[in-house]
Amino acid sequence: MLAFGPGAALPAGAQDAAPKPAPIRIAVEGAYPPFNFIDQNNELQGFEVDLAKALCEQMAAECTLVQHEWDGIVKGLLNREYDAIMSSLEILERRQKRLAFSEPYYRIPAIFIAPKDSEIKALTPEGLAGLKIGATIRSDHADYLEQHYRESEIALYGSPVEATLDLLVGRIDAVFGDKRTLLKFLESREGECCRILGTAPDEPAYSRQFYGIGLRKEDADLKRRFDNALSALQADGTYDRIRAKYFSFDIK
């Protein structure tokens, strides 16, 4: 458990009139680098940890980070073991039935990649008609392609690695997936074959994979405080300074 935040003492004799508020307890898994992980000193680190600290400083709140394994992390929130989850919790319709969410604090853009000599001009369903596009099975990316790119052949793979290997040898024309994963391939020796074609088109929009702070539905004031703090950090550049330590591209 890691506590941090403003530590200013109350004026003498003021404890009874203004009791010190309880710390905001924020659950983090600690097993999803670079978003959250445990370092060699057994301390929580990562983008979400740094952002949580900045949010708490902006709110002038004392906060405590609580490491919790992924299994049961939502149940722990509902059981009041902590007050918020900041551990890459995707904002999904099924989760919104049980939880409140802050405004999204990150997203991973979805991109198409193809061989450097690809003649693909448009990333719309019409532009990719008749082509073979790879995606990871049971993913948001595959769902999006199957729903909108019905004139393309969708090749499904067990992992992004399998898809990029087929792209490398010319079995497929393009791969659609999250930018973070596909950039790793492009930055590798094998990835020298290929380039980014662009992000998903505005129409049909790819609106998946937004991540927010999970909260109990009744904690509307805490949601408001997190939302206001996030807006302030994005406006003053703090958010981008933290993001740049972990990602070379915008994730807002």
Side-chain angles (χ1 to χ4, degrees), residues 32 35 106-110 141 177-181 206 208-211 247 249-251:
Y32 189 48
F35 296 97
Y106 86 83
R107 67 180 180 90
I108 299 297
H141 307 103
D178 78 68
K179 188 171 184 177
R180 175 172 167 250
T181 300
Y206 180 84
R208 320 276 180 91
Q209 292 192 308
F210 285 83
Y211 298 83
F247 304 98
F249 54 92
D250 187 20
I251 60 172

Side-chain angles (χ1 to χ4, degrees), residues 3 5 9 20 41 44 62 82 87 91 133 140 143 149-150 159-160 164 185 197 204 220 223 225 240 244 248:
K20 186 178 180 181
N41 297 318
L44 284 165
E62 181 180 344
Y82 31 81
S87 195
I91 302 173
I133 312 170
D140 288 341
D143 290 346
Y149 288 71
R150 296 181 180 179
S159 71
T164 54
F185 167 70
L197 293 175
K223 169 180 163 51
R225 293 173 66 195
D240 283 329
S248 60

Side-chain angles (χ1 to χ4, degrees), residues 147-215:
Q147 181 179 353
H148 299 292
Y149 288 71
R150 296 181 180 179
E151 300 302 317
S152 301
E153 181 181 352
I154 311 304
L156 300 179
Y157 296 88
S159 71
V161 173
E162 294 176 17
T164 54
L165 286 176
D166 266 10
L167 183 68
L168 180 63
V169 298
R171 293 195 184 102
I172 56 178
D173 300 295
V175 171
F176 182 60
D178 78 68
K179 188 171 184 177
R180 175 172 167 250
T181 300
L182 295 181
L183 271 182
K184 288 183 179 180
F185 167 70
L186 294 176
E187 291 167 355
S188 70
R189 184 174 62 183
E190 293 81 3
E192 293 178 359
C193 66
C194 302
R195 62 184 174 90
I196 295 175
L197 293 175
T199 57
D202 293 335
E203 184 60 41
Y206 180 84
S207 57
R208 320 276 180 91
Q209 292 192 308
F210 285 83
Y211 298 83
I213 302 167
L215 303 157

